[in-house]
Amino acid sequence: MSTVAVIGGGAAGMMAAAAAAENGNQVLLFEKNEKLGKKLFITGKGRCNLTNNCSVEELLQAVCVNRRFLYSAFYGFDSAETIRFFEVEGMATKTERGQRVFPVSDHSSDVIAALRKKLNARGVKVFLNEEVRSIRISDNADAGAIVNGLILKSGKKIDADAVIVATGGLSYPSTGSTGDGYRFAKEAGHQVSEQSPSLVPIETKGTDAQRMQGLSLRNVESAIYDGKKELYREFGEMMFTHFGVTGPLILTASCMVQKQLKERPLTLIIDLKPALSEEQLDARILREFEAAKNKHFKNVLATLFPSKMIPVVAERCGIPEEKPIHNITREERKNLIAVTKHFSLTLLRLRDYNEAIITRGGVCVKEINPATMESKKVKGLYFAGEVLDVDAVTGGFNLQIAWATGHAAGASINA
């Protein structure tokens, strides 16, 4: 029987521990927090979007960085396997808009409970409040570098035939994601690419977003431009905040445009009425004007936009809110159409790790076996989850990366 030590009790770590134990290994799981799944608990605002119920090819298309590396892991443990894993443990799931999968209860604690149930059933020994200081690696004349255990922060040595590093990234540092895995990787001779926040809100110039703070927009189309070059375009939901913009459209965009945004401001263009062409929108506005020709401009705006947007839209159109409809010129009406179809904001910078869902960057995947997650440099050393240089858009895809890579690592270690 082999002894497998797993560092990190998050999504990837718990899945890796369960898979390794399933193979008959003795598994020791070390978590520096006082409980397992601390980041999982707050995922999806506490609901936990645990995967995306789509095909493997669609999973791969959602990956932003190092897509090809995940081919084997996703085909070995796809979203259907993830759903089956949790339902076997007694946690019912449901699929919502965008193929997002959640526990029926809408409680992330049920996801953690299902994983704990699996770990208990397989005899995994869990050590909480136990931080790992370093990984013990020896040089074998024949086999080269090989893992032989861990050293805990207390100084205690743990013997192990394999070590799985599943320590997460740098996002939400309050949950214990402090980059330990990157240090372990470097100490083992691995390259680690530069890290940055990803799937994160974006700050905007001016005060317009702040004036509309808390307003959510549904069924809008957002596009981001670097000068005249379009970098991103998508349909969905977004929200204005005290600093700028957030929501699914913006979080996904942050994954796509962060390189350019580090160098210079970008332009966000929001189509507030994407279902209507400019001609159709003009016809609708004319109908609204005709029905309210003796009222003020703000009364018609109330039929087109949420109340928080009215002052901002009126200001951008250059039309006083109190102006009578029958006095509005054709040119002013054209301004209203332009603002509605091309509501622009200047994007300045990404928010920090405290608000980032994931971390971009990590352990160089060229130095990892994509089928097993084992290091190509150190025998018996494995990496799984966010510590790897892989990330995807929102919608359950990043947790699927955690499940798939964790499962690949644990399942590849034979007792």
Side-chain angles (χ1 to χ4, degrees):
M1 179 186 287
S2 297
T3 299
V4 178
V6 180
I7 312 174
M14 286 190 279
M15 181 60 78
E22 195 90 43
N23 267 4
N25 296 291
Q26 179 186 26
V27 181
L28 313 176
L29 175 58
F30 297 92
E31 168 54 54
K32 68 179 181 181
N33 285 314
E34 74 285 358
K35 59 185 176 183
L36 296 174
K38 204 165 183 178
K39 186 177 174 185
L40 259 179
F41 186 73
I42 62 172
T43 299
K45 296 180 180 177
R47 296 180 64 216
C48 193
N49 176 195
L50 58 102
T51 188
N52 193 282
N53 195 2
C54 64
S55 68
V56 171
E57 288 306 314
E58 289 171 306
L59 288 176
L60 289 166
Q61 285 303 311
V63 177
C64 302
V65 177
N66 292 319
R67 181 180 297 162
R68 289 171 62 87
F69 174 77
L70 291 167
Y71 190 93
S72 294
F74 277 170
Y75 270 100
F77 198 84
D78 62 10
S79 55
E81 287 291 335
T82 296
I83 293 167
R84 189 176 302 116
F85 175 93
F86 285 101
E87 294 199 334
V88 164
E89 296 308 314
M91 192 200 82
T93 64
K94 59 182 176 181
T95 300
E96 296 186 358
R97 185 171 43 81
Q99 299 300 100
R100 289 168 162 82
V101 179
F102 295 88
V104 165
S105 66
D106 282 330
H107 295 313
S108 56
S109 55
D110 288 350
V111 175
I112 300 165
L115 287 160
R116 287 210 61 145
K117 180 181 174 186
K118 186 73 169 181
L119 297 179
N120 291 338
R122 294 298 168 198
V124 174
K125 294 181 180 178
V126 176
F127 299 88
L128 300 175
N129 296 303
E130 202 68 85
E131 188 170 345
V132 174
R133 182 197 296 169
S134 61
I135 298 170
R136 293 163 54 204
I137 298 171
S138 60
D139 284 315
N140 184 294
D142 299 318
I146 186 167
V147 155
N148 54 32
L150 306 171
I151 299 177
L152 302 178
K153 189 177 181 181
S154 64
K156 183 179 180 181
K157 292 183 178 180
I158 304 294
D159 293 329
D161 304 293
V163 171
I164 302 174
V165 178
T167 49
L170 292 166
S171 55
Y172 294 121
S174 61
T175 65
S177 299
T178 52
D180 296 343
Y182 305 134
R183 175 172 58 82
F184 296 149
K186 288 176 183 176
E187 290 171 352
H190 280 275
Q191 293 182 59
V192 177
S193 63
E194 181 185 357
Q195 298 93 52
S196 60
S198 193
L199 297 185
V200 63
I202 305 178
E203 295 181 11
T204 58
K205 186 178 180 180
T207 61
D208 280 356
Q210 187 176 11
R211 290 166 67 190
M212 299 182 287
Q213 178 181 344
L215 174 62
S216 292
L217 299 178
R218 292 189 175 187
N219 304 321
V220 296
E221 186 175 63
S222 293
I224 296 178
Y225 291 88
D226 183 1
K228 292 184 178 180
K229 183 180 179 183
E230 184 177 293
L231 303 177
Y232 168 81
R233 181 178 292 273
E234 193 58 74
F235 177 87
E237 300 177 26
M238 60 169 289
M239 187 172 79
F240 297 107
T241 73
H242 67 284
F243 57 78
V245 286
T246 188
L249 281 178
I250 302 303
L251 297 179
T252 295
S254 75
C255 178
M256 307 291 190
V257 305
Q258 62 172 261
K259 180 182 177 183
Q260 294 87 345
L261 197 55
K262 282 181 182 177
E263 298 171 358
R264 55 195 167 271
L266 303 174
T267 302
L268 169 67
I269 303 291
I270 308 165
D271 184 345
L272 298 167
K273 301 290 180 186
L276 301 176
S277 66
E278 290 196 6
E279 293 75 16
Q280 289 170 325
L281 179 59
D282 191 23
R284 177 179 170 183
I285 290 170
L286 280 169
R287 288 196 302 272
E288 298 286 357
F289 278 8
E290 182 60 32
K293 54 189 174 186
N294 293 319
K295 294 184 178 181
H296 295 140
F297 180 51
K298 65 181 180 182
N299 298 116
V300 169
L301 288 184
T303 69
L304 296 169
F305 306 106
S307 60
K308 279 192 176 182
M309 288 201 86
I310 291 174
V312 178
V313 170
E315 194 174 285
R316 289 187 175 213
C317 292
I319 307 172
E321 291 183 53
E322 302 299 327
K323 187 168 185 175
I325 294 296
H326 61 263
N327 285 342
I328 291 177
T329 66
R330 182 171 179 271
E331 203 59 39
E332 287 174 327
R333 198 176 77 244
K334 281 187 174 180
N335 289 346
L336 175 56
I337 293 168
V339 169
T340 304
K341 299 293 286 184
H342 305 278
F343 190 95
S344 67
L345 290 165
T346 300
L347 303 177
L348 296 178
R349 66 190 69 85
L350 301 179
R351 298 290 278 181
D352 63 21
Y353 286 113
N354 290 308
E355 296 174 61
I357 294 175
I358 57 165
T359 305
R360 169 159 292 182
V363 179
C364 177
V365 296
K366 291 179 180 178
E367 300 172 349
I368 305 296
N369 183 326
T372 64
M373 300 298 137
E374 186 175 18
S375 165
K376 293 177 181 179
K377 291 177 169 282
V378 180
K379 185 174 174 57
L381 178 61
Y382 299 76
F383 295 90
E386 196 177 343
V387 72
L388 292 164
D389 186 12
V390 287
D391 65 81
V393 300
T394 57
F397 300 104
N398 288 288
L399 268 179
Q400 183 57 40
I401 291 174
W403 309 131
T405 56
H407 184 269
S412 68
I413 302 172
N414 296 314

